[in-house]
Amino acid sequence: MNESASVIESFPCLLASDQSDGDMASVMGFSGFGKKARTFDLDAIFEQTRRTAIERSQQVSALALDPSGARLVTGGYDFDVRFWDFAGMDAALNSFRTIQPCECHQIRSLQYSITGDVILVVSGNAQAKVLDRDGFPVMECPKGDQYIVDMANTKGHTAMLNSGCWHPKIKDEFMTCSNDGTVRTWDLSSNKKHKMCFKPRSLQGKKVTPTCCTYSRDGKLVAAGCQDGTIQIWDRNLSVHTKFHCRQAHAPGTDTSCLTFSYDGTTLASRGGDDTLKTWDIRNFKKPLNVATGLSAFFSMTDCCFSPDDKLLVTGTSVKKDEGNGKLVFFDRASFQKVYEIDVTNAGVVRCLWHPKLNQIMVGTGNGLAKVYYDPVKSHRGAKLCVVKSKRKERQAETLTQDYIITPHALPMFREARQRSTKKQLEKDRLDPMKSHKPEPPVTGPGRGGRVAAHGGTLSSFIVKNIALDKTDDSNPRQAILRHAKEASENPYWVAPAYTKAMSHHEPEQLQCTLA
């Protein structure tokens, strides 16, 4: 059957003329009968599906820089986590390691701890992982019981994770949020159960899904942006009631993709799925300080971040395919005026990260690019270390012009000496007892010497063969019996010792009479 299939091909009776179709339709009482069915090009459909899958898998969905700025880690929808070392890279900008820590789950968030020795990996499954600097597993959070109603009574998340981050002061504590409606904190030294569990609630007291979470700069507050458009903030040590709560921060039903605190800790910035960027004063949390609109966001993890001097706020924008370029937009924190924008690429900007020590901006895009923006004067190290290096020349692989197969005994040290004369070989074989042994003649008769004739296939023949029974005895029968007399008299065994004396007087005569 052709790949371009048509429904009509299965029904030849429908291939009548328009006149007959009209007559049949009038008789049967319906119209439109006999119209040509839609045809589908399956090759084109498969090709479009394949391209769409490739485009989506190229998305850089996570970025992380260690505190010193020496290493960059990226994650994407292709399940890969790539490690980049600025000091070890040249102008080719190749990663030195690629792993898949969460198998076939998309990477949603990556972050180095404050000491830079471990990495938090948040993926599309329910269990966050912690890796060391080289990508080897350190810890995996347990999975909870999905059949328990109160999520605080189970030991871990039961649904897909959305975000996660490390505590800014305590090196062994991190936080995750999930579609199960909870925000949980964890201790790196204990992988049996979560440390604290926060449950966001709507105005009616119903469970809502947190889409992003973060700590305050001093680590005393826990903030979460939820799917109903609310932003809820708790005291880190009190998980029952919220300390600050904004009911209408963003449009309900949209994913708040990012929350971040300013370096002075007084301002909270939120990036909403309703194409807005807002700043808040947590001391007056009823209404936002500033609002920027028209910032399209098609991704559920679009970032925003403050500059190291706290004067600027940066976020990325998304675009549809072939409808422009994704941009990196800079706003003044005080006036919230757009001060600068950068055309990044012909795809949406998903992640942005402004490192305070390097003074460089890392950007992850929807078409699989990870870009670094730096200033030749104000930036330090980082990308400046590798862009000045020339590309390494590819080493020519050494190839053999001729393949050699060396067998174990082909070497001279293992090779046996070759005999030049057959006479010497025959003389040597004559001295070999195995080679010069005369073959046994075929057995005739009942068999002897442990050898059984061809007809001996019974159990008794097998026993006779194994015990090598020899029935031939050419000695004198009288002598054969008397040769055991001395041994029997010295070591009586079959006759009791009480009859030894009587037997010694009469045995020779009895034997002589009997044998005579």
Side-chain angles (χ1 to χ4, degrees), residues 127-364:
Q127 297 172 270
K129 286 189 176 183
V130 179
L131 310 177
D132 62 8
R133 285 181 60 87
D134 296 322
F136 296 101
V138 175
M139 173 195 171
E140 184 178 17
C141 296
K143 187 175 181 180
D145 188 350
Q146 58 184 349
Y147 298 104
I148 295 179
V149 177
D150 188 358
M151 287 289 101
N153 293 329
T154 186
K155 59 185 178 180
H157 289 295
T158 60
M160 181 186 78
L161 299 176
N162 289 321
S163 181
C165 61
W166 288 94
H167 193 280
K169 301 294 183 182
I170 304 174
K171 67 175 184 178
D172 291 336
E173 182 179 319
F174 61 92
M175 175 172 57
T176 56
C177 64
S178 168
N179 281 351
D180 62 1
T182 62
V183 179
R184 300 173 191 261
T185 59
W186 305 83
D187 193 342
L188 189 60
S189 60
S190 175
N191 61 347
K192 294 183 179 180
K193 190 179 179 182
H194 62 263
K195 191 175 181 181
M196 295 282 290
C197 182
F198 304 89
K199 296 184 290 184
R201 289 290 182 263
S202 64
L203 182 62
Q204 295 80 17
K206 296 181 179 180
K207 180 177 72 173
V208 293
T209 300
T211 56
C212 61
C213 59
T214 188
Y215 284 101
S216 61
R217 294 290 176 176
D218 57 4
K220 295 181 180 180
L221 299 177
V222 171
C226 301
Q227 213 166 36
D228 62 345
T230 62
I231 297 177
Q232 304 183 28
I233 303 177
W234 297 267
D235 188 297
R236 173 178 163 270
N237 298 319
L238 299 174
S239 61
V240 180
H241 300 291
T242 57
K243 190 172 184 179
F244 305 102
H245 199 144
C246 183
R247 295 289 180 187
Q248 297 178 348
H250 291 280
T254 60
D255 291 343
T256 302
S257 57
C258 181
L259 293 177
T260 182
F261 282 88
S262 61
Y263 285 92
D264 58 14
T266 60
T267 303
L268 175 67
S270 63
R271 183 69 163 96
D274 53 358
D275 300 342
T276 62
L277 175 65
K278 299 182 180 182
T279 57
W280 309 81
D281 187 350
I282 59 175
R283 296 166 295 185
N284 185 16
F285 209 42
K286 299 296 182 181
K287 60 180 181 179
L289 293 175
N290 299 288
V291 179
T293 59
L295 304 173
S296 57
F298 300 155
F299 304 99
S300 60
M301 62 280 296
T302 303
D303 263 340
C304 64
C305 60
F306 286 92
S307 62
D309 58 2
D310 254 356
K311 295 181 179 180
L312 298 175
L313 185 60
V314 187
T315 189
T317 61
S318 303
V319 292
K320 294 183 179 180
K321 187 177 180 181
D322 300 329
E323 293 187 6
N325 293 331
K327 298 180 179 180
L328 201 61
V329 187
F330 297 77
F331 294 91
D332 183 85
R333 177 186 171 185
S335 63
F336 227 62
Q337 296 294 320
K338 185 191 296 184
V339 295
Y340 194 65
E341 68 179 19
I342 302 174
D343 286 341
V344 179
T345 184
N346 59 351
V349 175
V350 184
R351 291 286 187 177
C352 60
L353 176 64
W354 198 329
H355 197 273
K357 287 188 177 180
L358 302 182
N359 200 19
Q360 299 175 12
I361 302 175
M362 316 293 165
V363 178

Side-chain angles (χ1 to χ4, degrees), residues 7-80:
V7 179
I8 291 181
E9 293 176 1
S10 301
F11 300 93
C13 63
L14 300 183
L15 298 177
S17 64
D18 296 338
Q19 181 72 25
S20 60
D21 289 343
D23 295 341
M24 188 177 294
S26 61
V27 172
M28 299 185 69
F30 57 85
S31 60
F33 188 81
K35 289 184 178 180
K36 186 177 181 180
R38 287 184 61 190
T39 58
F40 299 94
D41 189 351
L42 299 184
D43 283 338
I45 295 175
F46 292 152
E47 181 64 20
Q48 181 64 31
T49 304
R50 187 184 67 84
R51 290 180 180 179
T52 303
I54 292 175
E55 290 174 1
R56 291 183 178 179
S57 66
Q58 289 177 346
Q59 176 182 334
V60 177
S61 57
L63 282 175
L65 268 170
D66 67 343
S68 64
R71 284 190 178 181
L72 171 68
V73 181
T74 61
Y77 276 13
D78 57 354
F79 322 132
D80 290 343

